[in-house]
Amino acid sequence: MINLKDLNKAQKLAVEYDEGAHIVVAGAGSGKTRVLTYKIAYLIDKGYDPDGILSLTFTNKAANEMKKRINQLVGSKAENIWMGTFHSIFAKILRVEAKSLNYRSNFSIYDAEDSLSLVSNIISDHEIDIEGVTPNSIKHRISLLKNHMILPKEFRQHHIQNFIDEKIALVFDEYQKRLVEFNAMDFDDLLLKPIELFNENSKIHQKYKKKFSYLLVDEFQDTNKAQYELLKLLVTREGKICVVGDDAQSIYSWRGANLSNMLDFEKDFSKAKVFKLEQNYRSTKTILAAADSVIKQNKDQIIKTLWTDNKEGEKLTLVKCSDEKDEGYQIARFIKQEISKKKLSLKDFAILYRTNAQSRVLEDIFRREKIPYRIIGGVEFYKRKEVKDIVAYLRVLSNQNDEESLLRIMNFPQRGIGSTTIKRMIVFARKHEISLFDTMTRVFEVIDIKERIQKNVKQFKVLLDKYIGLKDKLSVGELSRALVDELGVLRMFKAENTPESTTRWENINELLSALSEFSNSNKEAKLEQYLEEVSLVSDIDLYEGEQNAVTMLTVHSAKGLEFPIVFISGCEEEVFPLSNRFSSDATLEEERRLFYVAVTRAKQKVYISHARSRYRFGEVAYQSRSRFIEEIAPETLEEINGTAGRKSGSRKSKKEMYYEYFENVDYEDFNQDNKTLKPGSRVMHDKFGLGKVTLVTGAGEMTKATVVFEGNNVKQLMLKFAKLKVL
């Protein structure tokens, strides 16, 4: 039998319970991952077939970490568990059962950018003009409707309230039709289509209901209506379901998460048992007391009391700043002090903010202070243009009906197929009810396309057909390298010889390496598997925490992570909480849960900063400090005037400060001295001439500057290669 001696009493009871439905209310840092890991290992040890255990998580990172731990407990049996995110698991089922939904198994998965492109094309095709409403807001509305399981027909019948809704209904209807035409699904479809499948095909429904003898769900507080519906459709008659979550960390209502799923679990499963994990292993007593004093202000919650055997620890430090720049300097100063005092590494620090826009000033100051940092949640690797372009080629090789991907690559690299030609081909395709891909074969029938351009289209079709034929004969790595070589994009970027083209060249090589690694790790792997992984990867999945740099990220991205020292910046009304006097109580309660998540990321120490004024919407706004600060138990908080400290410290030279704080610190020094380069700097470039810097981003060797050169010629340059001369 598996040894449970490493579990505390509450954890052990939750792991051993096997009488039916149960919910584990796991407070922050209370070992929920450990409970889930041991629970699955315990079930396997007890005789449950690993292939019948379905364990659902919210990130691939969490799934991989759990699978690795289970493997250490029960060995290779763990490989057969159905473990992954909701989207990845149900995408796997949909691949098998696609035919029953009038799809083919090679369907494409559209990310948010693909969906936005599709919405924009529909608006353009139908000449829809809604003043003040952007394609992005329509795309978001469609996603929110689908999250609540509202499809076009129901939306038209029950939710139309005004003229704008009428237009959105038109777009929504066409959006769903085109997804089917393109043999594509968006993220929301990966949850809605299985429900449709199970409701309309009882044979398939029973097949999976019988297959999965035990369901386990992590981060249950983040499930939406569709996810909860899927669980209820699959749970066995004996109610073999274990859900784990923390209502105090429910922070995703804006993308459909429904806290009532957790609050109502006992109603939906009448004999459900409740287990509470209240011992915290992460934070100090002081941090826990501070977090508890804030979260207890919420009305909608499951009552629990977190406690810890950890030491009392330091008080939270509240830093009063004059503005956002001063805030950045204060944070940099305290990081240096902590490193000097406690001999910590840069990777031990995290700066949390409510919105991504807040990082810009922090980045500027950290570059000036020569503190390496990394941003989580910036432009993700798979969302970079050149990477998406190559992935779009691979998607078309897999699924020729994927019109959005085909449109992306039709003239990349440039082959003389302009937007007018493409529009005429689309009109022809719609008229003859064929795909855009098939239209390329009949391009000679399309009116008003010049013979030269017709030949270009034909050659492009021949190229695609060639690699479609090779798709099942070559490995994914071999196929992609051959394709990229024939396209000549690497040679093209090399020949351009600019900082931007060098970066793009590096990114495509990185993609090819990833494809080769994927092939080598699984010789039987199909292209569709790789494309699915790419579609479902998130920025947090790519976070390893090994780079020795300060981590900057939003509080949403930080959930599930922990750091010795955490800075919570921008703690002002209408910034954090990101709400105003007109916000609902539910909105404010979610913002409070978000603040609770921020505080409980810290193991040793929390700094909270707020500014008296901050640039917002292009002008200076005078801020009042966050109500959450007032809710923190006074005995857990010390307040200092950071600005006064900075003025006295500024008497020392920058060089003196640098050596005082970093003398004994081992971190990567990028040797990128750009302290004189800042927004507003005038520069000279050998090729582009005179210019003015408008933005500086990144750190070390990845530092980039956006420069407006003469003639309004805007360039983004990698400083490592740019050789800019500051005037």
Side-chain angles (χ1 to χ4, degrees):
M1 283 292 288
I2 191 167
N3 195 333
L4 303 180
K5 65 179 176 58
D6 290 336
L7 304 178
N8 65 33
K9 185 179 178 182
Q11 291 171 337
K12 188 169 181 287
L13 287 170
V15 165
E16 291 179 328
Y17 187 77
D18 187 26
E19 300 301 315
H22 51 300
I23 181 170
V24 181
V25 182
S30 62
K32 71 176 178 61
T33 303
R34 171 170 290 206
V35 166
L36 273 171
T37 301
Y38 271 88
K39 178 102 190 169
I40 294 169
Y42 178 81
L43 292 172
I44 292 171
D45 210 31
K46 197 175 176 183
Y48 282 88
D49 181 0
D51 190 48
I53 295 174
L54 174 59
S55 179
L56 296 159
T57 65
F58 271 80
T59 66
N60 295 309
K61 186 181 177 70
N64 293 334
E65 183 183 328
M66 282 175 58
K67 208 161 191 175
K68 188 177 176 182
R69 291 196 202 176
I70 296 166
N71 198 291
Q72 291 169 351
L73 291 170
V74 296
S76 59
K77 295 176 188 175
E79 295 302 318
N80 297 323
I81 302 164
W82 281 61
M83 178 176 284
T85 64
F86 274 88
H87 293 89
S88 64
I89 290 292
F90 288 104
K92 185 176 176 181
I93 290 172
L94 288 169
R95 295 267 180 225
V96 176
E97 312 295 348
K99 192 176 178 182
S100 298
L101 290 165
N102 296 318
Y103 271 84
R104 290 181 294 286
S105 62
N106 61 339
F107 60 81
S108 299
I109 299 173
Y110 280 7
D111 63 17
E113 189 181 328
D114 300 319
S115 295
L116 176 58
S117 177
L118 179 53
V119 167
S120 299
N121 286 334
I122 291 167
I123 291 169
S124 175
D125 291 349
H126 289 268
E127 298 180 345
I128 297 168
D129 183 23
I130 314 175
E131 189 176 344
V133 181
T134 64
N136 196 43
S137 64
I138 293 175
K139 183 217 74 169
H140 180 73
R141 180 81 180 278
I142 288 171
S143 180
L144 208 57
L145 287 166
K146 292 174 78 169
N147 262 271
H148 288 89
M149 297 175 63
I150 298 170
L151 290 171
K153 186 178 178 182
E154 184 184 343
F155 182 59
R156 278 193 181 279
Q157 290 176 347
H158 304 294
H159 300 276
I160 301 289
Q161 294 182 355
N162 51 43
F163 167 76
I164 290 175
D165 284 348
E166 289 280 0
K167 296 291 187 182
I168 289 173
L170 193 156
V171 176
F172 191 8
D173 195 45
E174 185 65 16
Y175 177 83
Q176 288 300 108
K177 283 179 184 173
R178 289 199 189 180
L179 283 174
V180 176
E181 281 176 28
F182 299 168
N183 192 35
M185 297 188 194
D186 64 15
F187 284 172
D188 301 312
D189 286 328
L190 297 180
L191 303 176
L192 291 176
K193 293 294 180 184
I195 294 172
E196 181 186 331
L197 179 72
F198 295 154
N199 284 335
E200 293 182 2
N201 193 315
S202 60
K203 189 176 179 182
I204 292 175
H205 179 207
Q206 290 305 314
K207 169 184 170 183
Y208 288 99
K209 191 168 184 176
K210 187 177 179 182
K211 176 177 180 56
F212 298 124
S213 54
Y214 220 109
L215 307 185
L216 301 103
V217 188
D218 191 13
E219 304 286 8
F220 184 60
Q221 76 280 350
D222 293 332
T223 52
N224 62 25
K225 185 175 181 180
Q227 287 163 329
Y228 196 24
E229 188 63 30
L230 279 168
L231 294 174
K232 288 191 275 191
L233 281 167
L234 288 176
V235 70
T236 62
R237 186 179 296 173
E238 296 78 25
K240 300 289 181 150
I241 181 171
C242 169
V243 301
V244 181
D246 181 7
D247 56 296
Q249 296 185 68
S250 177
I251 56 174
Y252 288 109
S253 67
W254 49 275
R255 68 181 190 196
N258 190 352
L259 179 58
S260 64
N261 290 349
M262 188 158 189
L263 300 176
D264 295 343
F265 186 80
E266 289 179 83
K267 296 177 190 172
D268 294 329
F269 295 90
S270 57
K271 295 180 181 177
K273 180 94 170 170
V274 179
F275 296 91
K276 292 182 182 180
L277 304 184
E278 296 173 305
Q279 182 175 0
N280 176 286
Y281 292 93
R282 177 188 299 148
S283 306
T284 64
K285 287 184 172 69
T286 302
I287 290 171
L288 279 191
D292 185 62
S293 62
V294 175
I295 199 64
K296 74 180 182 184
Q297 307 297 323
N298 275 3
K299 294 175 183 174
D300 288 336
Q301 61 176 303
I302 298 170
I303 302 300
K304 56 189 170 300
T305 304
L306 286 189
W307 61 276
T308 184
D309 281 335
N310 293 343
K311 62 184 181 182
E312 199 71 33
E314 299 176 52
K315 289 184 177 183
L316 286 71
T317 298
L318 178 63
V319 186
K320 181 176 165 185
C321 310
S322 58
D323 57 24
E324 65 266 48
K325 285 186 178 179
D326 184 41
E327 181 181 46
Y329 279 115
Q330 297 317 313
I331 292 172
R333 181 167 71 92
F334 283 115
I335 287 174
K336 292 173 181 180
Q337 284 182 357
E338 291 285 0
I339 287 174
S340 179
K341 186 169 64 177
K342 298 176 182 172
K343 307 302 178 193
L344 296 168
S345 298
L346 288 161
K347 65 183 178 182
D348 294 328
F349 297 84
I351 304 172
L352 310 185
Y353 33 77
R354 181 61 183 84
T355 62
N356 277 310
Q358 290 168 249
S359 76
R360 185 189 62 78
V361 173
L362 292 167
E363 290 183 71
D364 286 346
I365 285 151
F366 271 54
R367 282 192 300 275
R368 290 172 195 164
E369 295 292 300
K370 291 192 173 182
I371 301 177
Y373 65 89
R374 67 167 297 178
I375 297 275
I376 304 298
V379 179
E380 300 163 36
F381 179 75
Y382 288 106
K383 286 184 172 57
R384 291 168 185 165
K385 181 189 179 302
E386 59 277 8
V387 174
K388 285 210 73 163
D389 288 338
I390 301 304
V391 170
Y393 268 97
L394 298 176
R395 279 163 58 160
V396 172
L397 300 187
S398 170
N399 171 21
Q400 289 81 63
N401 281 40
D402 186 347
E403 188 172 295
E404 285 302 310
S405 293
L406 186 55
L407 287 171
R408 186 179 187 102
I409 63 174
M410 189 77 80
N411 202 34
F412 172 81
Q414 289 188 359
R415 49 177 64 91
I417 307 174
S419 58
T420 303
T421 299
I422 293 170
K423 282 176 184 175
R424 285 171 181 158
M425 290 171 63
I426 289 172
V427 169
F428 182 90
R430 302 281 187 269
K431 181 182 177 182
H432 292 84
E433 297 184 342
I434 61 174
S435 69
L436 182 59
F437 185 86
D438 289 336
T439 299
M440 290 195 292
T441 305
R442 297 172 59 179
V443 70
F444 298 107
E445 300 175 40
V446 182
I447 300 169
D448 292 334
I449 296 181
K450 294 176 182 176
E451 187 178 338
R452 173 179 56 82
I453 299 174
Q454 290 176 345
K455 286 180 179 176
N456 292 342
V457 173
K458 188 72 175 173
Q459 286 172 355
F460 178 49
K461 175 70 162 50
V462 168
L463 173 88
L464 293 175
D465 284 340
K466 172 184 173 181
Y467 285 94
I468 289 166
L470 290 171
K471 183 172 72 76
D472 295 324
K473 296 174 183 174
L474 301 177
S475 71
V476 175
E478 291 167 337
L479 180 78
S480 54
R481 283 190 179 275
L483 173 65
V484 167
D485 187 52
E486 184 158 348
L487 290 172
V489 289
L490 287 175
R491 292 191 297 275
M492 178 182 76
F493 288 138
K494 197 101 174 175
E496 280 183 29
N497 197 28
T498 65
E500 303 99 306
S501 66
T502 301
T503 301
R504 288 174 180 161
W505 182 88
E506 289 171 347
N507 286 338
I508 290 177
N509 271 306
E510 180 65 26
L511 174 65
L512 292 174
S513 297
L515 282 154
S516 295
E517 188 179 326
F518 175 80
S519 294
N520 294 336
S521 63
N522 183 358
K523 299 295 182 184
E524 303 301 315
K526 298 290 185 186
L527 177 60
E528 288 74 21
Q529 288 174 257
Y530 181 77
L531 293 173
E532 185 174 305
E533 284 189 19
V534 169
S535 298
L536 299 176
V537 75
S538 69
D539 56 340
I540 204 66
D541 291 329
L542 302 174
Y543 174 70
E544 296 294 340
E546 295 304 314
Q547 184 179 338
N548 198 14
V550 175
T551 304
M552 295 185 187
L553 69 172
T554 64
V555 186
H556 281 100
S557 295
K559 192 159 82 69
L561 302 179
E562 59 181 38
F563 302 88
I565 297 183
V566 167
F567 289 82
I568 309 172
S569 64
C571 291
E572 300 124 34
E573 286 295 296
E574 299 189 21
V575 178
F576 196 1
L578 188 66
S579 57
N580 55 43
R581 60 185 179 277
F582 302 113
S583 297
S584 67
D585 289 344
T587 300
L588 185 59
E589 291 214 348
E590 177 148 331
E591 289 289 314
R592 188 176 282 111
R593 291 194 293 269
L594 197 57
F595 188 79
Y596 173 83
V597 167
V599 173
T600 55
R601 296 312 92 202
K603 296 160 82 171
Q604 300 173 13
K605 173 76 178 176
V606 176
Y607 286 87
I608 298 170
S609 58
H610 68 96
R612 288 196 295 271
S613 68
R614 184 179 297 272
Y615 259 99
R616 299 191 69 215
F617 313 114
E619 57 185 42
V620 175
Y622 291 92
Q623 309 290 122
S624 56
R625 70 187 196 179
S626 171
R627 69 189 69 195
F628 301 147
I629 293 171
E630 315 306 328
E631 293 171 359
I632 297 172
E635 65 274 13
T636 66
L637 190 68
E638 62 173 1
E639 186 171 354
I640 64 169
N641 188 335
T643 308
R646 184 162 81 88
K647 284 178 181 174
S648 62
S650 64
R651 294 194 189 103
K652 297 178 182 177
S653 70
K654 282 189 177 181
K655 190 171 183 180
E656 286 174 325
M657 295 283 283
Y658 177 80
Y659 282 112
E660 178 182 342
Y661 293 121
F662 286 91
E663 188 176 18
N664 298 312
V665 180
D666 178 26
Y667 74 98
E668 187 175 357
D669 183 359
F670 293 118
N671 295 317
Q672 179 66 54
D673 186 4
N674 63 311
K675 57 191 173 189
T676 58
L677 188 72
K678 59 184 183 295
S681 295
R682 296 189 51 183
V683 294
M684 173 65 78
H685 187 277
D686 290 344
K687 181 177 177 182
F688 306 121
L690 282 170
K692 184 177 180 180
V693 177
T694 59
L695 182 66
V696 183
T697 58
E701 291 192 338
M702 300 305 291
T703 304
K704 295 178 183 177
T706 302
V707 185
V708 181
F709 291 100
E710 291 170 319
N712 202 30
N713 182 16
V714 181
K715 297 287 181 183
Q716 191 180 60
L717 306 173
M718 184 79 78
L719 294 189
K720 180 181 177 182
F721 305 105
K723 296 180 182 175
L724 287 175
K725 183 178 179 182
V726 182
L727 302 177

